[in-house]
Amino acid sequence: MSEFDLIRRYFADIGPPRSDTALGVGDDCALLEIPLGQTLAVSIDTLVSGVHFLPDCDPECLGHKSLAVGLSDLAAMGAQPAWSTLALTFPAAEEAWISAFSRGFARLSDAHGMRLVGGDTTRGPLSVTVQVHGLVPADAAIRRSGARPGDRVYVSGTLGDAGLALRRMLAGEGVDASLRSRLECPEPRVRLGQGLRGLASAMIDVSDGLAADLGHILEASGVGAEIELARLPLSPLVAEVVQGTGDWSLPLSSGDDYELCFCVPQRHEERVEAVAQTAGLPLTLIGTLSAAPGLRLRLPNGDRLETERTGYDHFCSD
Ligand code: ADP
Ligand code: MG
């Protein structure tokens, strides 16, 4: 099959047609219409085989995940998903693989009303790059820099499940399907992100671990935080590991959670529960911001947990 047949068959009609898409796949550029008063939110992520996913991972899950990571960034700005572009590099045009990848990508696109409007298809070592484009009313985007001392810190869902799934898979241990799907088919918290417009003072998606990602909010906002580890929302499986080993690295510094971490001024605290109801997702208060810079983690026994290494850094050699 030629490159163009392949694009026509598997990538030319992904996601619902949108009235604000003047031109999609097929020309030199896509033409997109940004409604008056809206800002375009743009983010791009690359997933490389052997670095971000296991080479034998299910292609349908990979199609899902490669879009999900971008959707999670849109969620973290409070943006409404609109369009995507996809640069796909693979070693050989294996139709079954491409068709499954396209199916996973299409299902999540449909779920979020997102149209695939262009891309690039090349031969080489397997890697997937997805750019996402979202819309957010001017000035309503939730940045990392708006948090203030006294704000409450929240996190959605549970932390560390994807890290536990990866750890067990790499050890060749059995992983049950729901844990595995936290790693391979994460659900981006898009509705929650939009529900927090006008409420959250700062927000980030947790992709590199809570400690590193909350650290980005603290740095951008010029504040510090006191976090109570006993409050961290953990699934029973992760809680068992933490209790058994006393090691907090799963919920604090394993990657791929794709939950949202956000700050809310104390006076708005009671509004958070209503947002949790609407989003159908637990939102857990884990600590408070302070003027003193730095991240302070308090263990259940009251002691401080000292952390040096936090999160995954591609260019960090130790
Ligand atoms: P160009 O030579 O102008 O870069 P291409 O031959 O790379 O164009 O692509 C032809 C058309 O198909 C373009 O509209 C491009 O956006 C689209 N396209 C190519 N690969 C993909 C893909 N994987 N997914 C979606 N659209 C794609
Ligand atoms: Mg091209």
Side-chain angles (χ1 to χ4, degrees), residues 280-301:
L281 202 60
L283 302 179
T284 307
L285 175 63
I286 60 170
T288 304
L289 298 184
S290 58
L295 175 59
R296 287 165 294 279
L297 303 170
R298 198 159 300 287
L299 288 159
N301 69 6

mmCIF file with all atom_site columns, all heavy atoms in Angstrom, residues 280-301:
data_model
loop_
_atom_site.group_PDB
_atom_site.id
_atom_site.type_symbol
_atom_site.label_atom_id
_atom_site.label_alt_id
_atom_site.label_comp_id
_atom_site.label_asym_id
_atom_site.label_entity_id
_atom_site.label_seq_id
_atom_site.pdbx_PDB_ins_code
_atom_site.Cartn_x
_atom_site.Cartn_y
_atom_site.Cartn_z
_atom_site.occupancy
_atom_site.B_iso_or_equiv
_atom_site.pdbx_formal_charge
_atom_site.auth_seq_id
_atom_site.auth_comp_id
_atom_site.auth_asym_id
_atom_site.auth_atom_id
_atom_site.pdbx_PDB_model_num
ATOM 1   N N   . GLY A 1 280 ? -17.378 13.378 38.071 1.00 0.00 ? 280 GLY A N   1
ATOM 2   C CA  . GLY A 1 280 ? -17.474 11.957 38.404 1.00 0.00 ? 280 GLY A CA  1
ATOM 3   C C   . GLY A 1 280 ? -16.142 11.372 38.829 1.00 0.00 ? 280 GLY A C   1
ATOM 4   O O   . GLY A 1 280 ? -15.806 10.242 38.481 1.00 0.00 ? 280 GLY A O   1
ATOM 5   N N   . LEU A 1 281 ? -15.385 12.171 39.578 1.00 0.00 ? 281 LEU A N   1
ATOM 6   C CA  . LEU A 1 281 ? -14.016 11.784 39.906 1.00 0.00 ? 281 LEU A CA  1
ATOM 7   C C   . LEU A 1 281 ? -13.702 12.272 41.314 1.00 0.00 ? 281 LEU A C   1
ATOM 8   O O   . LEU A 1 281 ? -14.037 13.400 41.658 1.00 0.00 ? 281 LEU A O   1
ATOM 9   C CB  . LEU A 1 281 ? -13.116 12.529 38.911 1.00 0.00 ? 281 LEU A CB  1
ATOM 10  C CG  . LEU A 1 281 ? -11.727 12.026 38.614 1.00 0.00 ? 281 LEU A CG  1
ATOM 11  C CD1 . LEU A 1 281 ? -11.784 10.617 38.032 1.00 0.00 ? 281 LEU A CD1 1
ATOM 12  C CD2 . LEU A 1 281 ? -11.060 12.974 37.624 1.00 0.00 ? 281 LEU A CD2 1
ATOM 13  N N   . PRO A 1 282 ? -13.067 11.434 42.147 1.00 0.00 ? 282 PRO A N   1
ATOM 14  C CA  . PRO A 1 282 ? -12.698 11.941 43.468 1.00 0.00 ? 282 PRO A CA  1
ATOM 15  C C   . PRO A 1 282 ? -11.617 13.013 43.365 1.00 0.00 ? 282 PRO A C   1
ATOM 16  O O   . PRO A 1 282 ? -10.692 12.893 42.558 1.00 0.00 ? 282 PRO A O   1
ATOM 17  C CB  . PRO A 1 282 ? -12.172 10.703 44.205 1.00 0.00 ? 282 PRO A CB  1
ATOM 18  C CG  . PRO A 1 282 ? -11.833 9.717  43.152 1.00 0.00 ? 282 PRO A CG  1
ATOM 19  C CD  . PRO A 1 282 ? -12.692 10.026 41.957 1.00 0.00 ? 282 PRO A CD  1
ATOM 20  N N   . LEU A 1 283 ? -11.760 14.075 44.161 1.00 0.00 ? 283 LEU A N   1
ATOM 21  C CA  . LEU A 1 283 ? -10.752 15.132 44.248 1.00 0.00 ? 283 LEU A CA  1
ATOM 22  C C   . LEU A 1 283 ? -10.315 15.189 45.696 1.00 0.00 ? 283 LEU A C   1
ATOM 23  O O   . LEU A 1 283 ? -11.154 15.329 46.590 1.00 0.00 ? 283 LEU A O   1
ATOM 24  C CB  . LEU A 1 283 ? -11.350 16.475 43.808 1.00 0.00 ? 283 LEU A CB  1
ATOM 25  C CG  . LEU A 1 283 ? -11.926 16.497 42.388 1.00 0.00 ? 283 LEU A CG  1
ATOM 26  C CD1 . LEU A 1 283 ? -12.521 17.862 42.070 1.00 0.00 ? 283 LEU A CD1 1
ATOM 27  C CD2 . LEU A 1 283 ? -10.854 16.132 41.359 1.00 0.00 ? 283 LEU A CD2 1
ATOM 28  N N   . THR A 1 284 ? -9.028  15.048 45.943 1.00 0.00 ? 284 THR A N   1
ATOM 29  C CA  . THR A 1 284 ? -8.535  14.914 47.307 1.00 0.00 ? 284 THR A CA  1
ATOM 30  C C   . THR A 1 284 ? -7.652  16.088 47.697 1.00 0.00 ? 284 THR A C   1
ATOM 31  O O   . THR A 1 284 ? -6.710  16.426 46.982 1.00 0.00 ? 284 THR A O   1
ATOM 32  C CB  . THR A 1 284 ? -7.726  13.600 47.450 1.00 0.00 ? 284 THR A CB  1
ATOM 33  O OG1 . THR A 1 284 ? -8.529  12.513 46.985 1.00 0.00 ? 284 THR A OG1 1
ATOM 34  C CG2 . THR A 1 284 ? -7.336  13.362 48.887 1.00 0.00 ? 284 THR A CG2 1
ATOM 35  N N   . LEU A 1 285 ? -7.978  16.676 48.858 1.00 0.00 ? 285 LEU A N   1
ATOM 36  C CA  . LEU A 1 285 ? -7.159  17.742 49.432 1.00 0.00 ? 285 LEU A CA  1
ATOM 37  C C   . LEU A 1 285 ? -5.908  17.111 50.029 1.00 0.00 ? 285 LEU A C   1
ATOM 38  O O   . LEU A 1 285 ? -5.996  16.244 50.895 1.00 0.00 ? 285 LEU A O   1
ATOM 39  C CB  . LEU A 1 285 ? -7.966  18.448 50.532 1.00 0.00 ? 285 LEU A CB  1
ATOM 40  C CG  . LEU A 1 285 ? -7.261  19.513 51.350 1.00 0.00 ? 285 LEU A CG  1
ATOM 41  C CD1 . LEU A 1 285 ? -6.832  20.672 50.483 1.00 0.00 ? 285 LEU A CD1 1
ATOM 42  C CD2 . LEU A 1 285 ? -8.152  19.983 52.484 1.00 0.00 ? 285 LEU A CD2 1
ATOM 43  N N   . ILE A 1 286 ? -4.726  17.506 49.546 1.00 0.00 ? 286 ILE A N   1
ATOM 44  C CA  . ILE A 1 286 ? -3.489  16.863 50.032 1.00 0.00 ? 286 ILE A CA  1
ATOM 45  C C   . ILE A 1 286 ? -2.559  17.815 50.779 1.00 0.00 ? 286 ILE A C   1
ATOM 46  O O   . ILE A 1 286 ? -1.574  17.360 51.361 1.00 0.00 ? 286 ILE A O   1
ATOM 47  C CB  . ILE A 1 286 ? -2.703  16.185 48.871 1.00 0.00 ? 286 ILE A CB  1
ATOM 48  C CG1 . ILE A 1 286 ? -2.305  17.207 47.799 1.00 0.00 ? 286 ILE A CG1 1
ATOM 49  C CG2 . ILE A 1 286 ? -3.520  15.048 48.266 1.00 0.00 ? 286 ILE A CG2 1
ATOM 50  C CD1 . ILE A 1 286 ? -1.325  16.661 46.763 1.00 0.00 ? 286 ILE A CD1 1
ATOM 51  N N   . GLY A 1 287 ? -2.857  19.112 50.773 1.00 0.00 ? 287 GLY A N   1
ATOM 52  C CA  . GLY A 1 287 ? -1.966  20.021 51.485 1.00 0.00 ? 287 GLY A CA  1
ATOM 53  C C   . GLY A 1 287 ? -2.279  21.473 51.217 1.00 0.00 ? 287 GLY A C   1
ATOM 54  O O   . GLY A 1 287 ? -3.311  21.807 50.635 1.00 0.00 ? 287 GLY A O   1
ATOM 55  N N   . THR A 1 288 ? -1.352  22.345 51.639 1.00 0.00 ? 288 THR A N   1
ATOM 56  C CA  . THR A 1 288 ? -1.555  23.796 51.602 1.00 0.00 ? 288 THR A CA  1
ATOM 57  C C   . THR A 1 288 ? -0.284  24.480 51.111 1.00 0.00 ? 288 THR A C   1
ATOM 58  O O   . THR A 1 288 ? 0.815   24.016 51.387 1.00 0.00 ? 288 THR A O   1
ATOM 59  C CB  . THR A 1 288 ? -1.879  24.302 53.031 1.00 0.00 ? 288 THR A CB  1
ATOM 60  O OG1 . THR A 1 288 ? -3.014  23.586 53.516 1.00 0.00 ? 288 THR A OG1 1
ATOM 61  C CG2 . THR A 1 288 ? -2.204  25.786 53.043 1.00 0.00 ? 288 THR A CG2 1
ATOM 62  N N   . LEU A 1 289 ? -0.470  25.584 50.389 1.00 0.00 ? 289 LEU A N   1
ATOM 63  C CA  . LEU A 1 289 ? 0.679   26.355 49.919 1.00 0.00 ? 289 LEU A CA  1
ATOM 64  C C   . LEU A 1 289 ? 1.133   27.349 50.982 1.00 0.00 ? 289 LEU A C   1
ATOM 65  O O   . LEU A 1 289 ? 0.323   27.824 51.782 1.00 0.00 ? 289 LEU A O   1
ATOM 66  C CB  . LEU A 1 289 ? 0.312   27.108 48.635 1.00 0.00 ? 289 LEU A CB  1
ATOM 67  C CG  . LEU A 1 289 ? -0.079  26.236 47.444 1.00 0.00 ? 289 LEU A CG  1
ATOM 68  C CD1 . LEU A 1 289 ? -0.330  27.105 46.219 1.00 0.00 ? 289 LEU A CD1 1
ATOM 69  C CD2 . LEU A 1 289 ? 0.998   25.189 47.148 1.00 0.00 ? 289 LEU A CD2 1
ATOM 70  N N   . SER A 1 290 ? 2.433   27.625 50.956 1.00 0.00 ? 290 SER A N   1
ATOM 71  C CA  . SER A 1 290 ? 3.004   28.573 51.911 1.00 0.00 ? 290 SER A CA  1
ATOM 72  C C   . SER A 1 290 ? 3.881   29.566 51.160 1.00 0.00 ? 290 SER A C   1
ATOM 73  O O   . SER A 1 290 ? 4.228   29.341 50.002 1.00 0.00 ? 290 SER A O   1
ATOM 74  C CB  . SER A 1 290 ? 3.866   27.813 52.924 1.00 0.00 ? 290 SER A CB  1
ATOM 75  O OG  . SER A 1 290 ? 4.873   27.114 52.205 1.00 0.00 ? 290 SER A OG  1
ATOM 76  N N   . ALA A 1 291 ? 4.234   30.658 51.839 1.00 0.00 ? 291 ALA A N   1
ATOM 77  C CA  . ALA A 1 291 ? 5.109   31.649 51.199 1.00 0.00 ? 291 ALA A CA  1
ATOM 78  C C   . ALA A 1 291 ? 6.546   31.122 51.126 1.00 0.00 ? 291 ALA A C   1
ATOM 79  O O   . ALA A 1 291 ? 7.281   31.437 50.195 1.00 0.00 ? 291 ALA A O   1
ATOM 80  C CB  . ALA A 1 291 ? 5.068   32.957 51.969 1.00 0.00 ? 291 ALA A CB  1
ATOM 81  N N   . ALA A 1 292 ? 6.943   30.292 52.114 1.00 0.00 ? 292 ALA A N   1
ATOM 82  C CA  . ALA A 1 292 ? 8.311   29.752 52.122 1.00 0.00 ? 292 ALA A CA  1
ATOM 83  C C   . ALA A 1 292 ? 8.484   28.774 50.968 1.00 0.00 ? 292 ALA A C   1
ATOM 84  O O   . ALA A 1 292 ? 7.725   27.817 50.858 1.00 0.00 ? 292 ALA A O   1
ATOM 85  C CB  . ALA A 1 292 ? 8.564   29.044 53.446 1.00 0.00 ? 292 ALA A CB  1
ATOM 86  N N   . PRO A 1 293 ? 9.470   28.997 50.092 1.00 0.00 ? 293 PRO A N   1
ATOM 87  C CA  . PRO A 1 293 ? 9.609   28.133 48.928 1.00 0.00 ? 293 PRO A CA  1
ATOM 88  C C   . PRO A 1 293 ? 9.997   26.705 49.305 1.00 0.00 ? 293 PRO A C   1
ATOM 89  O O   . PRO A 1 293 ? 10.479  26.459 50.397 1.00 0.00 ? 293 PRO A O   1
ATOM 90  C CB  . PRO A 1 293 ? 10.733  28.793 48.117 1.00 0.00 ? 293 PRO A CB  1
ATOM 91  C CG  . PRO A 1 293 ? 11.460  29.670 49.072 1.00 0.00 ? 293 PRO A CG  1
ATOM 92  C CD  . PRO A 1 293 ? 10.487  30.057 50.137 1.00 0.00 ? 293 PRO A CD  1
ATOM 93  N N   . GLY A 1 294 ? 9.768   25.776 48.378 1.00 0.00 ? 294 GLY A N   1
ATOM 94  C CA  . GLY A 1 294 ? 10.164  24.377 48.593 1.00 0.00 ? 294 GLY A CA  1
ATOM 95  C C   . GLY A 1 294 ? 8.967   23.487 48.827 1.00 0.00 ? 294 GLY A C   1
ATOM 96  O O   . GLY A 1 294 ? 7.885   23.942 49.210 1.00 0.00 ? 294 GLY A O   1
ATOM 97  N N   . LEU A 1 295 ? 9.183   22.204 48.574 1.00 0.00 ? 295 LEU A N   1
ATOM 98  C CA  . LEU A 1 295 ? 8.128   21.204 48.763 1.00 0.00 ? 295 LEU A CA  1
ATOM 99  C C   . LEU A 1 295 ? 8.454   20.406 50.017 1.00 0.00 ? 295 LEU A C   1
ATOM 100 O O   . LEU A 1 295 ? 9.502   19.775 50.101 1.00 0.00 ? 295 LEU A O   1
ATOM 101 C CB  . LEU A 1 295 ? 8.093   20.272 47.531 1.00 0.00 ? 295 LEU A CB  1
ATOM 102 C CG  . LEU A 1 295 ? 7.135   19.084 47.590 1.00 0.00 ? 295 LEU A CG  1
ATOM 103 C CD1 . LEU A 1 295 ? 5.698   19.540 47.797 1.00 0.00 ? 295 LEU A CD1 1
ATOM 104 C CD2 . LEU A 1 295 ? 7.260   18.244 46.319 1.00 0.00 ? 295 LEU A CD2 1
ATOM 105 N N   . ARG A 1 296 ? 7.562   20.484 51.012 1.00 0.00 ? 296 ARG A N   1
ATOM 106 C CA  . ARG A 1 296 ? 7.769   19.741 52.251 1.00 0.00 ? 296 ARG A CA  1
ATOM 107 C C   . ARG A 1 296 ? 6.730   18.626 52.352 1.00 0.00 ? 296 ARG A C   1
ATOM 108 O O   . ARG A 1 296 ? 5.534   18.882 52.276 1.00 0.00 ? 296 ARG A O   1
ATOM 109 C CB  . ARG A 1 296 ? 7.700   20.686 53.459 1.00 0.00 ? 296 ARG A CB  1
ATOM 110 C CG  . ARG A 1 296 ? 8.939   21.583 53.558 1.00 0.00 ? 296 ARG A CG  1
ATOM 111 C CD  . ARG A 1 296 ? 8.745   22.754 54.493 1.00 0.00 ? 296 ARG A CD  1
ATOM 112 N NE  . ARG A 1 296 ? 7.757   23.696 54.001 1.00 0.00 ? 296 ARG A NE  1
ATOM 113 C CZ  . ARG A 1 296 ? 8.020   24.647 53.069 1.00 0.00 ? 296 ARG A CZ  1
ATOM 114 N NH1 . ARG A 1 296 ? 9.219   24.765 52.552 1.00 0.00 ? 296 ARG A NH1 1
ATOM 115 N NH2 . ARG A 1 296 ? 7.063   25.444 52.661 1.00 0.00 ? 296 ARG A NH2 1
ATOM 116 N N   . LEU A 1 297 ? 7.248   17.391 52.463 1.00 0.00 ? 297 LEU A N   1
ATOM 117 C CA  . LEU A 1 297 ? 6.380   16.215 52.472 1.00 0.00 ? 297 LEU A CA  1
ATOM 118 C C   . LEU A 1 297 ? 6.384   15.640 53.884 1.00 0.00 ? 297 LEU A C   1
ATOM 119 O O   . LEU A 1 297 ? 7.445   15.313 54.425 1.00 0.00 ? 297 LEU A O   1
ATOM 120 C CB  . LEU A 1 297 ? 6.919   15.170 51.477 1.00 0.00 ? 297 LEU A CB  1
ATOM 121 C CG  . LEU A 1 297 ? 7.072   15.659 50.027 1.00 0.00 ? 297 LEU A CG  1
ATOM 122 C CD1 . LEU A 1 297 ? 7.845   14.634 49.194 1.00 0.00 ? 297 LEU A CD1 1
ATOM 123 C CD2 . LEU A 1 297 ? 5.702   15.921 49.412 1.00 0.00 ? 297 LEU A CD2 1
ATOM 124 N N   . ARG A 1 298 ? 5.192   15.555 54.475 1.00 0.00 ? 298 ARG A N   1
ATOM 125 C CA  . ARG A 1 298 ? 5.108   15.050 55.841 1.00 0.00 ? 298 ARG A CA  1
ATOM 126 C C   . ARG A 1 298 ? 4.611   13.608 55.846 1.00 0.00 ? 298 ARG A C   1
ATOM 127 O O   . ARG A 1 298 ? 3.566   13.302 55.279 1.00 0.00 ? 298 ARG A O   1
ATOM 128 C CB  . ARG A 1 298 ? 4.183   15.932 56.682 1.00 0.00 ? 298 ARG A CB  1
ATOM 129 C CG  . ARG A 1 298 ? 4.373   15.751 58.176 1.00 0.00 ? 298 ARG A CG  1
ATOM 130 C CD  . ARG A 1 298 ? 3.859   16.933 58.982 1.00 0.00 ? 298 ARG A CD  1
ATOM 131 N NE  . ARG A 1 298 ? 4.514   18.203 58.652 1.00 0.00 ? 298 ARG A NE  1
ATOM 132 C CZ  . ARG A 1 298 ? 5.771   18.531 58.997 1.00 0.00 ? 298 ARG A CZ  1
ATOM 133 N NH1 . ARG A 1 298 ? 6.521   17.688 59.679 1.00 0.00 ? 298 ARG A NH1 1
ATOM 134 N NH2 . ARG A 1 298 ? 6.254   19.695 58.657 1.00 0.00 ? 298 ARG A NH2 1
ATOM 135 N N   . LEU A 1 299 ? 5.403   12.732 56.480 1.00 0.00 ? 299 LEU A N   1
ATOM 136 C CA  . LEU A 1 299 ? 5.041   11.313 56.582 1.00 0.00 ? 299 LEU A CA  1
ATOM 137 C C   . LEU A 1 299 ? 3.881   11.147 57.569 1.00 0.00 ? 299 LEU A C   1
ATOM 138 O O   . LEU A 1 299 ? 3.664   12.021 58.417 1.00 0.00 ? 299 LEU A O   1
ATOM 139 C CB  . LEU A 1 299 ? 6.246   10.500 57.058 1.00 0.00 ? 299 LEU A CB  1
ATOM 140 C CG  . LEU A 1 299 ? 7.368   10.340 56.017 1.00 0.00 ? 299 LEU A CG  1
ATOM 141 C CD1 . LEU A 1 299 ? 8.696   10.006 56.696 1.00 0.00 ? 299 LEU A CD1 1
ATOM 142 C CD2 . LEU A 1 299 ? 6.978   9.258  55.010 1.00 0.00 ? 299 LEU A CD2 1
ATOM 143 N N   . PRO A 1 300 ? 3.175   10.019 57.495 1.00 0.00 ? 300 PRO A N   1
ATOM 144 C CA  . PRO A 1 300 ? 2.063   9.805  58.428 1.00 0.00 ? 300 PRO A CA  1
ATOM 145 C C   . PRO A 1 300 ? 2.487   9.926  59.895 1.00 0.00 ? 300 PRO A C   1
ATOM 146 O O   . PRO A 1 300 ? 1.697   10.344 60.734 1.00 0.00 ? 300 PRO A O   1
ATOM 147 C CB  . PRO A 1 300 ? 1.600   8.374  58.104 1.00 0.00 ? 300 PRO A CB  1
ATOM 148 C CG  . PRO A 1 300 ? 1.963   8.191  56.656 1.00 0.00 ? 300 PRO A CG  1
ATOM 149 C CD  . PRO A 1 300 ? 3.237   8.962  56.461 1.00 0.00 ? 300 PRO A CD  1
ATOM 150 N N   . ASN A 1 301 ? 3.739   9.593  60.249 1.00 0.00 ? 301 ASN A N   1
ATOM 151 C CA  . ASN A 1 301 ? 4.189   9.699  61.650 1.00 0.00 ? 301 ASN A CA  1
ATOM 152 C C   . ASN A 1 301 ? 4.621   11.115 62.027 1.00 0.00 ? 301 ASN A C   1
ATOM 153 O O   . ASN A 1 301 ? 5.110   11.343 63.130 1.00 0.00 ? 301 ASN A O   1
ATOM 154 C CB  . ASN A 1 301 ? 5.312   8.704  61.927 1.00 0.00 ? 301 ASN A CB  1
ATOM 155 C CG  . ASN A 1 301 ? 6.603   9.069  61.199 1.00 0.00 ? 301 ASN A CG  1
ATOM 156 O OD1 . ASN A 1 301 ? 6.699   10.139 60.564 1.00 0.00 ? 301 ASN A OD1 1
ATOM 157 N ND2 . ASN A 1 301 ? 7.588   8.202  61.271 1.00 0.00 ? 301 ASN A ND2 1
#
